[in-house]
Amino acid sequence: MKSTIPDSGVPIALAAGNGGDRPEASLHGEILLRLRDYVVEGNIAEGARIPERQLCEMLGISRTPLREALKVLAAEGLIELLPNRGARVRQLSQRDLEELFDVMAGLESLAGRLACEAISDAEITAIEQLHYEMYGHYLHRDMHGYFQANQRIHESIVAAARNEALKTAYANFAGRIRRVRYSANFARKRQRWAEAMREHEGILDALRRRAGSELSDILFQHLRNKRTAAIEHLTEPQEPAPASP
């Protein structure tokens, strides 16, 4: 599994090669990005406590910026803050997954329909580029790169819907199942990963044609298929995720 967490305790700011002279907001964003990836990619078991001391050593930071980042992840729904007891990775039941994926399917379905009414040619071109980038990651079995491009595609379609209420609701629910969407690609010995790639071909084709009703149906089924894979992954005996080549 590819991770953005550094192997050593070299501070993030120094690792970036700027001598540590880095704007605080930028440093905070980088800590948040790396910590989010670390949790999403399953490096800490569901329901397990967040190893703050270990993460501080790995990231080369103090506990204050780490805890600030943990607060953001808690707001996103990835982790839970425990009163006076640190934090733990949020654990979702099968029922939780069913309900959350159904809501996400409805939101993405609506986003696809609205996006086809408002999306610009430039936005479609940008999504095409992300699609081909994602396909390259798929061919190289780079799950980290694939997932990042995949999420940007879905977020781009939601943004193209030009509906702030929808965008806010989507962001709220997306955080809760981001980790599960990542791990679901490993279900059925990666068969689901290939299926998802084919579904994205259909998504791009419908978007190019601005076929709103068709895109709406494809996105809804795409999320339903992802839900099935996520539940399979939840209920099957877990094996370590394969590392990227």
Side-chain angles (χ1 to χ4, degrees), residues 4-244:
T4 55
I5 296 287
D7 294 328
S8 67
V10 178
I12 289 176
L14 295 179
N18 59 7
D21 184 16
R22 192 185 188 97
E24 184 176 349
S26 176
L27 179 60
H28 172 75
E30 191 163 350
I31 293 169
L32 178 60
L33 176 63
R34 294 187 179 187
L35 186 59
R36 183 190 290 118
D37 285 348
Y38 193 73
V39 174
V40 166
E41 293 172 12
N43 292 287
I44 307 172
E46 288 190 3
R49 294 283 292 274
I50 302 295
E52 292 189 16
R53 179 178 299 178
Q54 176 186 342
L55 290 174
C56 286
E57 292 175 354
M58 294 173 70
L59 290 166
I61 59 175
S62 68
R63 289 208 171 180
T64 297
L66 177 70
R67 287 175 176 172
E68 289 301 312
L70 290 176
K71 289 178 183 178
V72 176
L73 296 189
E76 293 178 356
L78 270 175
I79 67 171
E80 296 175 302
L81 298 179
L82 307 173
N84 302 316
R85 291 183 294 132
R88 67 184 175 195
V89 176
R90 182 181 292 274
Q91 189 167 19
L92 299 174
S93 67
Q94 179 172 334
R95 184 59 181 166
D96 290 333
L97 292 182
E98 290 172 350
E99 292 180 352
L100 286 169
F101 270 102
D102 277 350
V103 171
M104 289 293 290
L107 292 174
E108 292 210 19
S109 175
L110 175 59
R113 187 180 296 272
L114 295 177
C116 286
E117 298 175 358
I119 196 167
S120 67
D121 291 343
E123 286 173 311
I124 292 177
T125 298
I127 291 174
E128 286 178 333
Q129 292 173 344
L130 285 171
H131 176 84
Y132 294 128
E133 177 184 327
M134 180 179 68
Y135 185 60
H137 292 308
Y138 166 74
L139 292 177
H140 289 91
R141 291 297 188 260
D142 175 7
M143 177 61 78
H144 176 82
Y146 171 90
F147 185 74
Q148 295 299 322
N150 181 290
Q151 292 301 287
R152 289 169 63 193
I153 289 171
H154 286 275
E155 290 165 1
S156 296
I157 292 173
V158 171
R162 309 286 194 272
N163 187 304
E164 288 302 316
L166 172 61
K167 186 176 179 180
T168 299
Y170 179 83
N172 179 42
F173 286 101
R176 301 188 199 181
I177 61 172
R178 184 178 285 115
R179 173 186 170 101
V180 181
R181 288 184 79 155
Y182 181 91
S183 62
N185 290 293
F186 293 112
R188 296 188 303 225
K189 298 181 179 179
R190 297 205 177 192
Q191 178 185 347
R192 172 60 201 151
W193 195 2
E195 291 173 355
M197 193 66 240
R198 288 192 291 270
E199 288 163 11
H200 265 272
E201 293 282 355
I203 290 170
L204 180 59
D205 176 63
L207 190 62
R208 283 168 172 156
R209 293 183 286 109
R210 292 178 169 81
S213 179
E214 183 179 339
L215 179 57
S216 176
D217 289 344
I218 292 172
L219 284 167
F220 186 87
Q221 190 59 50
H222 180 63
L223 268 292
R224 272 297 181 88
N225 292 343
K226 180 73 77 173
R227 183 187 75 164
T228 298
I231 292 172
E232 284 184 7
H233 188 73
L234 176 70
T235 56
E236 289 177 352
Q238 299 298 301
E239 298 178 358
S244 300

